Amino acid sequence: MSTQLPASISEETVRTISEERDEPDWLLRTRLEALSALDELDMPSVIETPGRRWTNLEGLDYESIVDPLDQRDETERVSAEGAKVLDFETALEEHPELLEEHFGSVTDPQTNYLTALSTALFTTGTVIYVPEGVDAEDVKVRAEMNSTSLFSHTLVVAEDNASATILERISNGSAVDGDRYFSNLVEVVTGENAYVQYGSLQDLDEDVYDFTLKRGDADRYATIDWIEGNIGSRLTRSDIETELNGDSSETKIVGAFFGHDDQHFDINARVWHNGEHTTADLVTRGVLDDEARSVYEGVQDVGRDAWDTSSYQRENTLMLSDDSEADASPKLIIHNHDTEASHSATVGQVDAEDLFYMTSRAISENTARNMLVEGFFVPVLEEVEVDELREDIDDLIVARLD
């Protein structure tokens, strides 16, 4: 056991949460099994360098930042013609078989301590169901966290030949004093030739500890693209993962983060190439100012049967302060020789020549620096199909520079 279970969490707690939502027996069993597994599960693995463990998830005071029976949120859900965008309780009433089939099918609730904790305690969430052949554009989920802790679960099911562009945004609503905790698990299931772009923007207060795991299962000819923007929180642990299980399936994982003060970002992107002719493109760009810190791990895992694989990964971190810190660990794991793959990571400061060129043309040093930072994020923003998400990320970057 890596972390002691908070005293406020018990079997009675979990049964209360489930009974208040009139949940079916299979979901209550899943919650209780996750609760029971907490004694044996470890925290998610984190990057370690000689003499240093970059992210201390074990050190968080879960006793004070988790209040399982007082979870409050305000969530707006905007659907698209032909698709269902439902809160979890309504989805359990209208599509019980769909949820029983797919809940926990992409992400094992017992993957680690934090996924099990989230499965046992979640009280809010969204189910997005896109039937076969439906094109669902601009699905939006805007959530506000109004309590000390909030646990959420999002399930996306896109059937054969369906497509969806989804924007999810999380921020704080009414003021709550003290440290807080937000957790969200996202599962994306695709049928043959389906397409899902899932964009998310995290802009939580800097008293919030944030844990998210987003994972997709891509079927034959399917595509799952992730856009991940992280601006807020005190500590963010973000994992984005795609299993390319179907032949000719594709994924793109695009991330952007901008930390200041003493913010900490632990960003992870992982792809498993299991089918033939699969393609992956991982792009992450981050900026750090003041005493902010980041650690990035990217993994491209090519299986033995993954013939004709293309897999690329790039991570770049720009530091604006001598006191900021960053580390990156891109990894290639290749078990099939018929593979084209590359990976790279850079950590550096604003280019002195670029800065000199701009200041020599009567642009102030601060303005020049801000222009270079905005330009640094352009390759990431160009990948965002949803105008609102792209504009929101850009606005938050500009606001942080002012």
Short mmCIF file of all heavy atoms in Angstrom, two decimals, residues 140-198:
data_model
loop_
_atom_site.label_atom_id
_atom_site.label_comp_id
_atom_site.label_asym_id
_atom_site.label_seq_id
_atom_site.Cartn_x
_atom_site.Cartn_y
_atom_site.Cartn_z
N LYS A 140 -20.03 20.21 -26.54
CA LYS A 140 -19.32 20.97 -25.51
C LYS A 140 -19.75 20.54 -24.12
O LYS A 140 -20.94 20.32 -23.86
CB LYS A 140 -19.58 22.47 -25.68
CG LYS A 140 -19.02 23.02 -26.99
CD LYS A 140 -19.47 24.42 -27.26
CE LYS A 140 -18.96 24.88 -28.63
NZ LYS A 140 -19.52 26.18 -29.05
N VAL A 141 -18.77 20.44 -23.23
CA VAL A 141 -19.02 20.13 -21.82
C VAL A 141 -18.23 21.15 -21.01
O VAL A 141 -17.00 21.12 -20.98
CB VAL A 141 -18.57 18.70 -21.45
CG1 VAL A 141 -18.87 18.42 -19.99
CG2 VAL A 141 -19.25 17.67 -22.35
N ARG A 142 -18.97 22.07 -20.37
CA ARG A 142 -18.29 23.11 -19.57
C ARG A 142 -18.65 22.89 -18.11
O ARG A 142 -19.82 23.01 -17.72
CB ARG A 142 -18.75 24.50 -20.00
CG ARG A 142 -18.56 24.80 -21.49
CD ARG A 142 -18.90 26.27 -21.77
NE ARG A 142 -18.91 26.57 -23.20
CZ ARG A 142 -20.00 26.56 -23.94
NH1 ARG A 142 -21.16 26.25 -23.41
NH2 ARG A 142 -19.95 26.86 -25.23
N ALA A 143 -17.66 22.56 -17.30
CA ALA A 143 -17.91 22.20 -15.91
C ALA A 143 -17.23 23.19 -14.97
O ALA A 143 -16.12 23.66 -15.22
CB ALA A 143 -17.38 20.79 -15.62
N GLU A 144 -17.95 23.49 -13.85
CA GLU A 144 -17.39 24.30 -12.78
C GLU A 144 -17.35 23.46 -11.51
O GLU A 144 -18.34 22.83 -11.14
CB GLU A 144 -18.24 25.55 -12.53
CG GLU A 144 -18.12 26.61 -13.61
CD GLU A 144 -18.89 27.86 -13.26
OE1 GLU A 144 -19.68 27.84 -12.28
OE2 GLU A 144 -18.70 28.87 -13.95
N MET A 145 -16.22 23.49 -10.84
CA MET A 145 -16.05 22.76 -9.58
C MET A 145 -16.39 23.69 -8.43
O MET A 145 -15.82 24.78 -8.32
CB MET A 145 -14.59 22.29 -9.50
CG MET A 145 -14.21 21.62 -8.19
SD MET A 145 -12.45 21.14 -8.24
CE MET A 145 -12.23 20.55 -6.56
N ASN A 146 -17.34 23.25 -7.57
CA ASN A 146 -17.81 24.12 -6.49
C ASN A 146 -17.65 23.49 -5.10
O ASN A 146 -18.41 23.81 -4.19
CB ASN A 146 -19.30 24.46 -6.72
CG ASN A 146 -19.51 25.28 -7.98
OD1 ASN A 146 -18.71 26.14 -8.30
ND2 ASN A 146 -20.57 24.97 -8.71
N SER A 147 -16.71 22.60 -4.94
CA SER A 147 -16.54 21.90 -3.66
C SER A 147 -15.06 21.62 -3.43
O SER A 147 -14.22 21.83 -4.31
CB SER A 147 -17.35 20.61 -3.64
OG SER A 147 -17.10 19.84 -4.80
N THR A 148 -14.76 21.10 -2.23
CA THR A 148 -13.37 20.81 -1.91
C THR A 148 -12.78 19.78 -2.86
O THR A 148 -11.63 19.87 -3.29
CB THR A 148 -13.26 20.30 -0.46
OG1 THR A 148 -13.73 21.32 0.42
CG2 THR A 148 -11.82 19.95 -0.12
N SER A 149 -13.57 18.76 -3.19
CA SER A 149 -13.11 17.76 -4.15
C SER A 149 -14.22 17.43 -5.12
O SER A 149 -15.41 17.61 -4.82
CB SER A 149 -12.65 16.49 -3.43
OG SER A 149 -13.69 15.95 -2.63
N LEU A 150 -13.84 16.97 -6.30
CA LEU A 150 -14.82 16.58 -7.32
C LEU A 150 -14.21 15.45 -8.16
O LEU A 150 -13.09 15.57 -8.66
CB LEU A 150 -15.18 17.75 -8.22
CG LEU A 150 -16.26 17.49 -9.27
CD1 LEU A 150 -17.61 17.18 -8.60
CD2 LEU A 150 -16.41 18.68 -10.22
N PHE A 151 -14.99 14.35 -8.28
CA PHE A 151 -14.56 13.20 -9.08
C PHE A 151 -15.53 13.05 -10.25
O PHE A 151 -16.75 13.02 -10.05
CB PHE A 151 -14.56 11.92 -8.23
CG PHE A 151 -13.54 11.93 -7.13
CD1 PHE A 151 -13.82 12.52 -5.91
CD2 PHE A 151 -12.29 11.37 -7.31
CE1 PHE A 151 -12.88 12.54 -4.88
CE2 PHE A 151 -11.34 11.38 -6.29
CZ PHE A 151 -11.64 11.97 -5.08
N SER A 152 -14.98 12.94 -11.47
CA SER A 152 -15.80 12.91 -12.68
C SER A 152 -15.37 11.75 -13.57
O SER A 152 -14.22 11.29 -13.53
CB SER A 152 -15.64 14.24 -13.43
OG SER A 152 -16.37 14.24 -14.63
N HIS A 153 -16.33 11.27 -14.39
CA HIS A 153 -16.02 10.20 -15.34
C HIS A 153 -16.72 10.54 -16.66
O HIS A 153 -17.93 10.81 -16.69
CB HIS A 153 -16.51 8.86 -14.82
CG HIS A 153 -15.89 7.69 -15.51
ND1 HIS A 153 -14.97 6.83 -14.90
CD2 HIS A 153 -16.01 7.22 -16.78
CE1 HIS A 153 -14.58 5.91 -15.75
NE2 HIS A 153 -15.20 6.12 -16.91
N THR A 154 -15.97 10.52 -17.75
CA THR A 154 -16.51 10.82 -19.07
C THR A 154 -16.34 9.60 -19.97
O THR A 154 -15.24 9.03 -20.04
CB THR A 154 -15.79 12.02 -19.70
OG1 THR A 154 -15.90 13.15 -18.82
CG2 THR A 154 -16.39 12.37 -21.06
N LEU A 155 -17.43 9.22 -20.63
CA LEU A 155 -17.40 8.08 -21.55
C LEU A 155 -17.88 8.52 -22.92
O LEU A 155 -18.97 9.09 -23.04
CB LEU A 155 -18.29 6.95 -21.02
CG LEU A 155 -18.49 5.74 -21.93
CD1 LEU A 155 -17.16 5.01 -22.16
CD2 LEU A 155 -19.52 4.77 -21.35
N VAL A 156 -17.06 8.29 -23.94
CA VAL A 156 -17.41 8.62 -25.32
C VAL A 156 -17.48 7.33 -26.12
O VAL A 156 -16.53 6.54 -26.12
CB VAL A 156 -16.37 9.57 -25.96
CG1 VAL A 156 -16.76 9.89 -27.41
CG2 VAL A 156 -16.21 10.83 -25.15
N VAL A 157 -18.62 7.11 -26.78
CA VAL A 157 -18.77 5.94 -27.65
C VAL A 157 -19.15 6.44 -29.04
O VAL A 157 -20.23 7.00 -29.24
CB VAL A 157 -19.86 4.98 -27.12
CG1 VAL A 157 -19.99 3.78 -28.07
CG2 VAL A 157 -19.53 4.51 -25.72
N ALA A 158 -18.25 6.27 -30.00
CA ALA A 158 -18.50 6.65 -31.40
C ALA A 158 -18.55 5.36 -32.23
O ALA A 158 -17.53 4.68 -32.38
CB ALA A 158 -17.40 7.58 -31.91
N GLU A 159 -19.72 5.06 -32.74
CA GLU A 159 -19.89 3.81 -33.47
C GLU A 159 -19.28 3.91 -34.88
O GLU A 159 -18.74 4.93 -35.28
CB GLU A 159 -21.38 3.46 -33.53
CG GLU A 159 -21.96 3.14 -32.14
CD GLU A 159 -23.41 2.70 -32.18
OE1 GLU A 159 -24.12 3.04 -33.16
OE2 GLU A 159 -23.83 2.00 -31.24
N ASP A 160 -19.43 2.83 -35.65
CA ASP A 160 -18.82 2.76 -36.99
C ASP A 160 -19.19 4.00 -37.82
O ASP A 160 -20.35 4.43 -37.86
CB ASP A 160 -19.30 1.51 -37.72
CG ASP A 160 -18.82 0.22 -37.07
OD1 ASP A 160 -17.99 0.30 -36.15
OD2 ASP A 160 -19.28 -0.86 -37.50
N ASN A 161 -18.19 4.54 -38.50
CA ASN A 161 -18.37 5.67 -39.43
C ASN A 161 -18.94 6.93 -38.76
O ASN A 161 -19.46 7.81 -39.44
CB ASN A 161 -19.28 5.26 -40.60
CG ASN A 161 -18.74 4.08 -41.36
OD1 ASN A 161 -17.58 4.08 -41.77
ND2 ASN A 161 -19.57 3.05 -41.53
N ALA A 162 -18.91 7.00 -37.44
CA ALA A 162 -19.36 8.21 -36.74
C ALA A 162 -18.18 9.14 -36.53
O ALA A 162 -17.02 8.73 -36.58
CB ALA A 162 -19.97 7.83 -35.39
N SER A 163 -18.49 10.42 -36.29
CA SER A 163 -17.42 11.36 -35.99
C SER A 163 -17.91 12.38 -34.97
O SER A 163 -19.12 12.68 -34.90
CB SER A 163 -16.93 12.08 -37.25
OG SER A 163 -17.92 12.96 -37.74
N ALA A 164 -16.99 12.92 -34.19
CA ALA A 164 -17.35 13.90 -33.16
C ALA A 164 -16.18 14.80 -32.87
O ALA A 164 -15.03 14.34 -32.81
CB ALA A 164 -17.80 13.19 -31.88
N THR A 165 -16.46 16.09 -32.71
CA THR A 165 -15.47 17.02 -32.16
C THR A 165 -16.02 17.50 -30.82
O THR A 165 -17.15 17.99 -30.74
CB THR A 165 -15.23 18.22 -33.09
OG1 THR A 165 -16.47 18.87 -33.38
CG2 THR A 165 -14.59 17.77 -34.38
N ILE A 166 -15.22 17.33 -29.78
CA ILE A 166 -15.69 17.53 -28.40
C ILE A 166 -14.77 18.53 -27.70
O ILE A 166 -13.54 18.42 -27.79
CB ILE A 166 -15.68 16.20 -27.64
CG1 ILE A 166 -16.58 15.17 -28.34
CG2 ILE A 166 -16.12 16.39 -26.18
CD1 ILE A 166 -16.34 13.74 -27.89
N LEU A 167 -15.38 19.48 -27.01
CA LEU A 167 -14.63 20.43 -26.18
C LEU A 167 -15.07 20.28 -24.74
O LEU A 167 -16.25 20.40 -24.43
CB LEU A 167 -14.87 21.87 -26.65
CG LEU A 167 -14.44 22.97 -25.66
CD1 LEU A 167 -12.95 22.88 -25.38
CD2 LEU A 167 -14.80 24.34 -26.21
N GLU A 168 -14.13 19.98 -23.87
CA GLU A 168 -14.42 19.89 -22.44
C GLU A 168 -13.58 20.93 -21.71
O GLU A 168 -12.37 21.05 -21.94
CB GLU A 168 -14.07 18.50 -21.90
CG GLU A 168 -14.34 18.35 -20.41
CD GLU A 168 -13.85 17.01 -19.89
OE1 GLU A 168 -12.65 16.74 -20.03
OE2 GLU A 168 -14.66 16.23 -19.36
N ARG A 169 -14.25 21.70 -20.83
CA ARG A 169 -13.51 22.73 -20.08
C ARG A 169 -13.85 22.60 -18.61
O ARG A 169 -15.02 22.45 -18.25
CB ARG A 169 -13.87 24.11 -20.59
CG ARG A 169 -13.18 25.22 -19.81
CD ARG A 169 -13.29 26.57 -20.50
NE ARG A 169 -12.57 27.59 -19.72
CZ ARG A 169 -12.17 28.76 -20.19
NH1 ARG A 169 -12.40 29.05 -21.45
NH2 ARG A 169 -11.53 29.62 -19.43
N ILE A 170 -12.85 22.67 -17.76
CA ILE A 170 -13.05 22.61 -16.31
C ILE A 170 -12.42 23.85 -15.68
O ILE A 170 -11.28 24.19 -15.97
CB ILE A 170 -12.47 21.32 -15.68
CG1 ILE A 170 -12.64 21.32 -14.15
CG2 ILE A 170 -11.02 21.11 -16.08
CD1 ILE A 170 -14.06 21.22 -13.68
N SER A 171 -13.19 24.50 -14.81
CA SER A 171 -12.69 25.66 -14.07
C SER A 171 -13.39 25.68 -12.72
O SER A 171 -14.23 24.82 -12.44
CB SER A 171 -12.94 26.97 -14.84
OG SER A 171 -14.33 27.11 -15.12
N ASN A 172 -13.07 26.65 -11.89
CA ASN A 172 -13.72 26.76 -10.58
C ASN A 172 -14.91 27.70 -10.66
O ASN A 172 -14.90 28.68 -11.40
CB ASN A 172 -12.74 27.27 -9.53
CG ASN A 172 -11.72 26.21 -9.16
OD1 ASN A 172 -10.64 26.14 -9.74
ND2 ASN A 172 -12.10 25.36 -8.22
N GLY A 173 -15.95 27.38 -9.87
CA GLY A 173 -17.11 28.25 -9.81
C GLY A 173 -17.07 29.05 -8.53
O GLY A 173 -16.21 29.89 -8.34
N SER A 174 -18.00 28.75 -7.61
CA SER A 174 -18.06 29.49 -6.36
C SER A 174 -16.78 29.27 -5.54
O SER A 174 -16.18 28.20 -5.58
CB SER A 174 -19.27 29.04 -5.54
OG SER A 174 -19.21 27.65 -5.29
N ALA A 175 -16.42 30.30 -4.78
CA ALA A 175 -15.17 30.25 -4.03
C ALA A 175 -15.23 29.22 -2.91
O ALA A 175 -16.21 29.13 -2.18
CB ALA A 175 -14.87 31.63 -3.46
N VAL A 176 -14.20 28.42 -2.81
CA VAL A 176 -14.04 27.46 -1.71
C VAL A 176 -12.63 27.65 -1.17
O VAL A 176 -11.66 27.66 -1.94
CB VAL A 176 -14.23 26.01 -2.19
CG1 VAL A 176 -13.97 25.04 -1.04
CG2 VAL A 176 -15.61 25.80 -2.77
N ASP A 177 -12.52 27.81 0.15
CA ASP A 177 -11.21 28.06 0.74
C ASP A 177 -10.39 26.77 0.84
O ASP A 177 -10.93 25.68 0.98
CB ASP A 177 -11.37 28.65 2.14
CG ASP A 177 -11.98 30.04 2.10
OD1 ASP A 177 -11.81 30.72 1.07
OD2 ASP A 177 -12.65 30.42 3.09
N GLY A 178 -9.09 26.95 0.82
CA GLY A 178 -8.19 25.82 1.07
C GLY A 178 -7.84 25.00 -0.15
O GLY A 178 -8.32 25.25 -1.26
N ASP A 179 -6.98 24.02 0.08
CA ASP A 179 -6.56 23.14 -0.99
C ASP A 179 -7.71 22.25 -1.44
O ASP A 179 -8.54 21.83 -0.63
CB ASP A 179 -5.38 22.27 -0.52
CG ASP A 179 -4.14 23.09 -0.24
OD1 ASP A 179 -4.05 24.22 -0.75
OD2 ASP A 179 -3.26 22.60 0.49
N ARG A 180 -7.70 21.92 -2.74
CA ARG A 180 -8.80 21.11 -3.31
C ARG A 180 -8.23 20.06 -4.27
O ARG A 180 -7.07 20.12 -4.65
CB ARG A 180 -9.78 22.02 -4.04
CG ARG A 180 -10.71 22.80 -3.11
CD ARG A 180 -11.22 24.06 -3.76
NE ARG A 180 -10.22 25.11 -3.73
CZ ARG A 180 -10.21 26.17 -4.53
NH1 ARG A 180 -11.14 26.30 -5.43
NH2 ARG A 180 -9.27 27.08 -4.44
N TYR A 181 -9.12 19.14 -4.67
CA TYR A 181 -8.68 18.03 -5.52
C TYR A 181 -9.73 17.77 -6.60
O TYR A 181 -10.93 17.66 -6.31
CB TYR A 181 -8.50 16.77 -4.67
CG TYR A 181 -8.01 15.55 -5.43
CD1 TYR A 181 -6.67 15.43 -5.78
CD2 TYR A 181 -8.88 14.53 -5.79
CE1 TYR A 181 -6.22 14.33 -6.48
CE2 TYR A 181 -8.42 13.41 -6.49
CZ TYR A 181 -7.09 13.32 -6.83
OH TYR A 181 -6.64 12.22 -7.52
N PHE A 182 -9.27 17.70 -7.85
CA PHE A 182 -10.15 17.37 -8.97
C PHE A 182 -9.61 16.15 -9.70
O PHE A 182 -8.41 16.06 -9.96
CB PHE A 182 -10.24 18.54 -9.96
CG PHE A 182 -11.03 18.21 -11.19
CD1 PHE A 182 -12.41 18.07 -11.13
CD2 PHE A 182 -10.40 18.02 -12.41
CE1 PHE A 182 -13.15 17.75 -12.26
CE2 PHE A 182 -11.12 17.71 -13.55
CZ PHE A 182 -12.51 17.56 -13.48
N SER A 183 -10.51 15.22 -10.03
CA SER A 183 -10.11 14.01 -10.74
C SER A 183 -11.09 13.75 -11.87
O SER A 183 -12.30 13.86 -11.70
CB SER A 183 -10.11 12.81 -9.78
OG SER A 183 -9.89 11.61 -10.48
N ASN A 184 -10.56 13.39 -13.04
CA ASN A 184 -11.42 13.08 -14.19
C ASN A 184 -10.82 11.93 -14.97
O ASN A 184 -9.65 11.97 -15.36
CB ASN A 184 -11.55 14.31 -15.10
CG ASN A 184 -12.61 14.11 -16.18
OD1 ASN A 184 -13.52 13.30 -16.02
ND2 ASN A 184 -12.50 14.86 -17.26
N LEU A 185 -11.63 10.89 -15.19
CA LEU A 185 -11.23 9.79 -16.07
C LEU A 185 -12.04 9.89 -17.34
O LEU A 185 -13.27 10.05 -17.29
CB LEU A 185 -11.48 8.43 -15.39
CG LEU A 185 -10.82 8.18 -14.04
CD1 LEU A 185 -11.10 6.75 -13.58
CD2 LEU A 185 -9.32 8.42 -14.11
N VAL A 186 -11.38 9.79 -18.49
CA VAL A 186 -12.04 9.89 -19.79
C VAL A 186 -11.74 8.63 -20.59
O VAL A 186 -10.57 8.26 -20.75
CB VAL A 186 -11.57 11.14 -20.57
CG1 VAL A 186 -12.24 11.19 -21.94
CG2 VAL A 186 -11.87 12.41 -19.79
N GLU A 187 -12.79 8.00 -21.09
CA GLU A 187 -12.63 6.81 -21.94
C GLU A 187 -13.27 7.10 -23.31
O GLU A 187 -14.40 7.59 -23.37
CB GLU A 187 -13.32 5.59 -21.32
CG GLU A 187 -12.80 5.20 -19.96
CD GLU A 187 -13.50 3.96 -19.43
OE1 GLU A 187 -14.58 4.09 -18.85
OE2 GLU A 187 -12.96 2.86 -19.61
N VAL A 188 -12.55 6.78 -24.38
CA VAL A 188 -13.07 6.96 -25.74
C VAL A 188 -13.05 5.61 -26.46
O VAL A 188 -11.98 5.00 -26.60
CB VAL A 188 -12.25 8.00 -26.53
CG1 VAL A 188 -12.73 8.06 -27.98
CG2 VAL A 188 -12.35 9.38 -25.88
N VAL A 189 -14.24 5.19 -26.89
CA VAL A 189 -14.38 3.92 -27.61
C VAL A 189 -14.77 4.26 -29.04
O VAL A 189 -15.73 5.01 -29.26
CB VAL A 189 -15.48 3.04 -26.99
CG1 VAL A 189 -15.56 1.71 -27.71
CG2 VAL A 189 -15.25 2.85 -25.50
N THR A 190 -14.07 3.73 -30.03
CA THR A 190 -14.42 4.01 -31.42
C THR A 190 -14.72 2.73 -32.17
O THR A 190 -14.11 1.69 -31.93
CB THR A 190 -13.27 4.73 -32.16
OG1 THR A 190 -12.11 3.89 -32.14
CG2 THR A 190 -12.96 6.07 -31.53
N GLY A 191 -15.69 2.82 -33.09
CA GLY A 191 -15.96 1.73 -34.02
C GLY A 191 -15.10 1.89 -35.26
O GLY A 191 -14.25 2.78 -35.36
N GLU A 192 -15.34 1.01 -36.24
CA GLU A 192 -14.54 1.06 -37.48
C GLU A 192 -14.77 2.37 -38.22
O GLU A 192 -15.91 2.82 -38.38
CB GLU A 192 -14.93 -0.13 -38.37
CG GLU A 192 -14.11 -0.21 -39.64
CD GLU A 192 -14.35 -1.52 -40.39
OE1 GLU A 192 -14.37 -2.58 -39.75
OE2 GLU A 192 -14.53 -1.47 -41.63
N ASN A 193 -13.69 2.98 -38.65
CA ASN A 193 -13.71 4.21 -39.44
C ASN A 193 -14.34 5.39 -38.70
O ASN A 193 -14.85 6.32 -39.31
CB ASN A 193 -14.45 4.00 -40.77
CG ASN A 193 -14.12 5.08 -41.78
OD1 ASN A 193 -12.99 5.52 -41.90
ND2 ASN A 193 -15.15 5.53 -42.49
N ALA A 194 -14.35 5.36 -37.38
CA ALA A 194 -14.86 6.49 -36.60
C ALA A 194 -13.76 7.51 -36.38
O ALA A 194 -12.56 7.21 -36.47
CB ALA A 194 -15.39 6.00 -35.26
N TYR A 195 -14.20 8.75 -36.08
CA TYR A 195 -13.24 9.84 -35.83
C TYR A 195 -13.68 10.62 -34.61
O TYR A 195 -14.84 11.03 -34.51
CB TYR A 195 -13.15 10.78 -37.03
CG TYR A 195 -12.37 12.06 -36.74
CD1 TYR A 195 -10.99 12.05 -36.74
CD2 TYR A 195 -13.05 13.24 -36.43
CE1 TYR A 195 -10.28 13.20 -36.46
CE2 TYR A 195 -12.34 14.41 -36.15
CZ TYR A 195 -10.95 14.38 -36.16
OH TYR A 195 -10.25 15.52 -35.87
N VAL A 196 -12.77 10.83 -33.66
CA VAL A 196 -13.05 11.63 -32.47
C VAL A 196 -11.89 12.58 -32.23
O VAL A 196 -10.74 12.15 -32.14
CB VAL A 196 -13.25 10.75 -31.21
CG1 VAL A 196 -13.37 11.64 -29.97
CG2 VAL A 196 -14.49 9.87 -31.36
N GLN A 197 -12.19 13.88 -32.18
CA GLN A 197 -11.21 14.84 -31.66
C GLN A 197 -11.72 15.31 -30.31
O GLN A 197 -12.82 15.87 -30.21
CB GLN A 197 -10.98 16.05 -32.56
CG GLN A 197 -9.88 16.94 -31.96
CD GLN A 197 -9.56 18.21 -32.73
OE1 GLN A 197 -10.13 19.25 -32.46
NE2 GLN A 197 -8.64 18.11 -33.68
N TYR A 198 -10.93 15.06 -29.27
CA TYR A 198 -11.32 15.41 -27.90
C TYR A 198 -10.40 16.51 -27.40
O TYR A 198 -9.22 16.28 -27.13
CB TYR A 198 -11.23 14.18 -27.00
CG TYR A 198 -11.91 14.33 -25.67
CD1 TYR A 198 -13.16 13.77 -25.44
CD2 TYR A 198 -11.32 15.05 -24.64
CE1 TYR A 198 -13.81 13.92 -24.23
CE2 TYR A 198 -11.95 15.21 -23.42
CZ TYR A 198 -13.19 14.64 -23.22
OH TYR A 198 -13.84 14.79 -22.01
#
